[in-house]
Amino acid sequence: MIFLKKHHMGKWIWYALEKIEEIDQLKAELDIPIEDWHKIINEKKGNYLEMDTSTIGKESLSGSLIYNRKIEERGDYELFYFYLCGDYLITLDYHDNSLHLNKRSDIIQSAQNAISPVDGFMVILGNIMTDILYHIDTYEEKLDELIWDVKEKNSTKTLDKIYQSRHEILIWKNVMMPFLELKFAIEEAFGEDATDGRDYKRVSKRIQRGLTLVDEYEKELNNLVHFEEVVSQHRGNEIMKTLTVFTALCTPIMALGALWGMNFKYMPELDWKYGYAISLALIVLTTVIIYAYLKTRGWMGDLLKAKKKNSFFQ
């Protein structure tokens, strides 16, 4: 017989399963319909949510939740499964990896103060959200550095960093959205009585705080992208204007080149002793002058890199 790890929390019990094989023993121990949940565990490897409200007083909420996600690789995350009903909270494969806690017993102690399985589940969600907010605080430092990079050393490399940060904030938003769905699903499944608990109210605020922060950071990044587009468009227009001017200025030179390329029998320039050298020198000189001017204007290199320090458009 497999020993089931369970924590008695006063009026409710938390079954902290570690292996899928333990579910069969749990079926024999508890009179609750967890067959569908067992099926979810075998089939679902991402966020999933299912509720049963067909019988009053026996409502249940089950599914899976991605947590402890890394932003470097698409498949680098941890997933745990949960079943919530009546007097029981059942979890499978949940590991407390929070950076802000020293021991797993801390979350058990916090859950001891929960008045119901719903509140106990919210303690787990709050624990994960606290870890996410820790990463969001670190992201805030990188965003502040990026904002100043746009002013002090703007370039295509900086633009790439903006889009990398934009991708990262989208990942964090994607991680937190299921928490908001779970909050609404708990209200839908268990009614207003489930929302009176202290932990439910506290974690709901924490979820809202995290999503609000992500939304604001996303707005800042969108503003940076729009800013870069304006700067790039301005400099592109300057380049096109200058190329148009130089095309007009070089028209006489191109005309002379066309003239000297003619095959008329009598052309005075053909008798000049240094005519060939003079023509080559004139072509090289004008080319060097044009190149030097474009170089000093900063138009021969990175389009987003300003010529003057701390300037956006010059």
Side-chain angles (χ1 to χ4, degrees), residues 238-251:
E238 285 292 305
I239 292 173
M240 292 304 299
K241 179 182 69 175
T242 303
L243 291 176
T244 302
V245 171
F246 270 103
T247 300
L249 292 177
C250 291
T251 300

Side-chain angles (χ1 to χ4, degrees), residues 164-228:
Q164 291 288 348
S165 297
R166 201 179 191 185
H167 178 258
E168 182 177 345
I169 205 66
L170 285 175
I171 292 177
W172 289 123
K173 190 172 186 178
N174 180 260
V175 169
M176 284 191 281
M177 287 303 296
F179 288 79
L180 185 62
E181 183 185 7
L182 276 170
K183 172 184 175 299
F184 291 135
I186 288 173
E187 296 176 8
E188 181 181 350
F190 301 106
E192 295 181 356
D193 293 339
T195 64
D196 292 334
R198 179 187 59 184
D199 290 295
Y200 179 88
K201 294 179 179 178
R202 176 187 297 156
V203 176
S204 295
K205 292 290 185 182
R206 192 174 302 168
I207 293 172
Q208 193 61 47
R209 176 162 61 97
L211 287 171
T212 301
L213 282 174
V214 168
D215 285 339
E216 292 302 316
Y217 292 152
E218 188 175 19
K219 290 178 183 178
E220 288 190 37
L221 286 168
N222 289 337
N223 288 336
L224 284 177
V225 171
H226 177 68
F227 175 83
E228 290 284 49

Side-chain angles (χ1 to χ4, degrees), residues 5 88-89 111 123 143 160 181 204 210 223 228 249 252 257 279 285 291 297 311:
K5 183 183 293 185
Y88 304 105
L89 167 61
V123 168
L143 181 59
D160 181 70
E181 183 185 7
S204 295
N223 288 336
E228 290 284 49
L249 292 177
S279 63
L285 179 63
Y291 178 83
R297 295 289 294 177
S311 174

